[in-house]
Amino acid sequence: MARVFLTREMPGRAVEILQAAGHQAVVWPDELPPPQVELAAELAQSHAALTTVVDRITPAMLDGAPDLRIVANMAVGYDNISPAEAAERGIWVTNTPGVLAETTADMAWALLMSAARRVTESDRHTRAGGWRTWSPTGFLGMDVFGATLGIIGLGEIGEAMARRAVGFKMRVLYHSRTRKPALEADLGLEQVGLDELLAVSDYVSLHCPLTPETRGLLGAREFGLMKKRAILVNTARGQVIDQDALVSALRDGTMGGAALDVTDPEPLPLAHPLFSFENVVITPHIASGSMATRSKMADMAAENIVAVLAGKEPINPVNRGHR
Ligand code: NAP
Ligand code: GLV
């Protein structure tokens, strides 16, 4: 019987899937993730781990886990572990691509709309008793219909975002590593350089992974290129943005607002200056968070573990190329 450590209670059938395959599922019982020392101790006794984006798996932890064969991340992003370091030690890393794209794009769209139409800001105002009359100038926002959306990272979620924008008759620009002629033809997308995308878009939405190339992709220079009323949406990773530069741009009024599901660090301390702006929406990294999608993600991670423990290749490996 193999020991599988799950770093949190999971929605869906993950435990059932693991037990049905004859494995022992050991679930970390707290709402908060295991501290690094506890995580290392659990990995040291396990054959497999089902992890989340907040579980930082270090090379030293992998060295201390002689029986570990797979780290199955319940996420599409896997910047919490080095796939190459894991592969060097013969350990598979897997993720959960595809199943969360529509749900995450729904949330990115909700954030975009919230910032454009000042939804959370006016809700706060209403709850505080500020609604005194209908006002011709009250809470005027930005139109979304017919505006220009710039997508950075045209993968599964970026494409799902573009399909939503088509329904709003938006002009959709994208900047990605690879050109996507089929999507350009199907959805009328236009590939442009990053600077042009930033200069022309009314809304900029980030959908690239966090990698050495994308860390700090948007900083002071890039924010300076954006339209004065443009809104930035980030459901990718907080570190793709230079957050201090974002604070300065918002303070100087060189951009219209930001809607962030991801920050650096997470959680963002309450004293952080980003919380002081009325034109900033912040949610606690919940973009894939529908019951159905999170269940699919956890089930998928469990299926990857079952495959590897049965001596097969995993279904969603991210480090095959490193092996
Ligand atoms: P994906 O399908 O792999 O798409 C990522 C896209 O980014 C790919 O199309 C990729 O390149 C492009 N890209 C990579 N490096 C780039 C660079 N340097 N510059 C521009 N584009 C680059 O992944 P996904 O499923 O859409 O997810 C994207 C990211 O969203 C994840 O990695 C994760 O960090 C984040 N995420 C967050 C949440 C949340 O809860 N907030 C939920 C899900 C995902 P190509 O052009 O070569 O295809
Ligand atoms: C969530 O952040 C994910 O990468 O799936």
Side-chain angles (χ1 to χ4, degrees):
M1 183 194 280
R3 182 184 197 273
V4 182
F5 178 59
L6 294 82
T7 64
R8 228 73 67 71
E9 191 183 320
M10 295 290 157
R13 299 175 48 256
V15 167
E16 240 175 286
I17 291 167
L18 294 166
Q19 287 173 344
H23 305 306
Q24 181 197 9
V26 178
V27 180
W28 180 254
D30 290 356
E31 193 192 330
L32 293 177
Q36 291 299 91
V37 174
E38 310 275 358
L39 180 56
E42 292 291 349
L43 294 182
Q45 318 166 51
S46 300
H47 300 91
L50 199 164
T51 54
T52 75
V53 289
V54 300
D55 302 312
R56 199 167 48 80
I57 316 283
T58 63
M61 283 181 191
L62 300 178
D63 284 337
D67 298 326
L68 193 66
R69 288 156 67 186
I70 171 169
V71 174
N73 224 25
M74 181 229 187
V76 69
Y78 46 88
D79 45 276
N80 55 315
I81 182 169
S82 160
E85 296 273 8
E88 263 177 37
R89 293 158 177 82
I91 299 168
W92 286 106
V93 177
T94 62
N95 70 344
T96 60
V99 290
L100 45 59
E102 300 298 344
T103 303
T104 304
D106 282 348
M107 183 67 186
W109 199 261
L111 286 170
L112 185 156
M113 295 291 294
S114 295
R117 297 304 308 275
R118 305 174 68 175
V119 174
T120 51
E121 184 187 353
S122 58
D123 176 75
R124 281 193 295 272
H125 175 83
T126 307
R127 285 167 195 267
W131 185 9
R132 293 171 55 228
T133 180
W134 184 90
S135 162
T137 55
F139 288 101
L140 301 185
M142 296 249 296
D143 280 324
V144 176
F145 190 88
T148 299
L149 171 67
I151 294 174
I152 300 177
L154 190 66
E156 305 239 26
I157 301 168
E159 178 189 335
M161 195 66 178
R163 278 190 272 101
R164 282 157 182 72
V166 169
F168 277 68
K169 298 234 179 313
M170 294 175 93
R171 179 180 179 204
V172 185
L173 311 177
Y174 76 95
H175 168 75
S176 208
R177 248 181 348 197
T178 320
R179 186 156 187 201
K180 314 278 162 75
L183 285 180
E184 289 177 23
D186 282 0
L187 301 176
L189 313 186
E190 301 166 49
Q191 188 196 31
V192 293
L194 181 60
D195 287 4
E196 185 180 347
L197 180 144
L198 294 168
V200 174
S201 301
D202 300 302
Y203 302 93
V204 173
S205 195
L206 281 162
H207 299 291
C208 55
L210 175 63
T211 64
E213 294 74 41
T214 63
R215 187 176 287 273
L217 185 70
L218 301 188
R221 188 191 77 83
E222 290 73 24
F223 295 136
L225 295 173
M226 289 173 70
K227 285 183 176 174
K228 217 170 159 44
R229 298 199 63 193
I231 286 169
L232 176 69
V233 179
N234 190 6
T235 57
R237 286 289 182 267
Q239 295 84 348
V240 176
I241 291 176
D242 174 344
Q243 219 165 245
D244 292 340
L246 176 64
V247 168
S248 299
L250 289 162
R251 209 168 260 150
D252 299 346
T254 55
M255 61 191 289
L260 313 169
D261 185 52
V262 288
T263 57
D264 179 23
E266 292 182 7
L268 196 65
L270 269 183
H272 196 281
L274 276 174
F275 281 116
S276 67
F277 298 105
E278 287 292 354
N279 55 346
V280 172
V281 180
I282 302 175
T283 52
H285 202 149
I286 55 168
S288 66
S290 74
M291 178 60 89
T293 293
R294 287 277 172 86
S295 299
K296 282 185 210 157
M297 291 161 67
D299 293 2
M300 206 167 170
E303 299 286 7
N304 275 293
I305 290 172
V306 169
V308 168
L309 294 179
K312 299 183 196 149
E313 286 218 344
I315 308 144
N316 311 103
V318 299
N319 63 348
R320 182 184 279 121
H322 299 286
R323 296 170 79 89

